[in-house]
Every structure is written in structure tokens, then in C-alpha cells.
Amino acid sequence: MSEPAAHGTTTISDRAFARIAEQLASEDEHVTGPPHVSASVCGAVAAVHCDLAVRYPAPVPRLAAKIREHVRRRLRELTGIAVENVDIEVVELVPERKPERRGGDERRPRPV
């Protein structure tokens, strides 16, 4: 049998690579809304930039590191392309909504 590389090459466009990274970045429960992701692929090496809105309160530095590692590792697994750099920019903090009270817990004005 011949080597698989002898049959041709597979290329992944920057746009397709960015779409994969976008999906991966949105997998964390603290990310709210779709992230905006750009990517640059040059041969077998890539760089990614993610703009994220995250739920607050969340440990932002730890969350960014977790997402950065997840995106880097999974992109390598899915595409075979080494990701040299993953920039995470938190562009919005979205406060968590507190659960609304229901039933008898609600405070209603009393008739006078």
C-alpha cells in the first residue's frame, strides 16, 4: 500500500477552522451567546482569536485558561493542525439571573 500523503493533501480554510473553534469555545457553560472567532491557518500551524461573553461571576482568568486549552487540544485532534496561539478576549460580562420566586413566596401588596 502507498502512503496516504501520496494521494493528495487536505486543506482547511481559515473560515472553516474558525467555525470549528467557535463551536469548541461555546461548549463551556459559562460562555453566553455565540463567540466571535477569527483564525489564521498557515500550513500545519494556526492562530485563533476568540471574543467571548461570559456569565458573571466566574473566575475569568481560570475560565479563559480552560477554554484556551480546550480549543487548542480539540482543534489539534479534529484537524491535525497545531494551534500555536489562542487569544481569549472577554468582551462582555453577563450577570447570572437569580431564580424568580414562585407560589406563596411572592410579595404582593396587601389591600387596605
Side-chain angles (χ1 to χ4, degrees), residues 64-92:
K66 177 181 164 191
I67 293 170
R68 180 179 296 111
E69 182 55 33
H70 176 69
V71 169
R72 177 180 285 130
R73 181 179 50 79
R74 290 292 290 148
L75 279 171
R76 174 72 173 180
E77 290 172 0
L78 294 170
T79 67
I81 296 173
V83 182
E84 185 176 276
N85 196 38
V86 178
D87 291 327
I88 304 288
E89 187 171 342
V90 177
V91 296
E92 185 178 1

Side-chain angles (χ1 to χ4, degrees), residues 9-49:
T9 60
T10 301
T11 58
I12 299 174
S13 70
D14 292 354
R15 183 174 181 212
F17 199 80
R19 294 289 297 211
I20 296 167
E22 184 177 282
Q23 175 61 39
L24 295 170
S26 68
E27 290 176 350
D28 191 279
E29 65 185 6
H30 291 97
V31 174
T32 179
H36 179 265
V37 177
S38 59
S40 176
V41 180
C42 184
V45 179
V48 176
H49 179 90

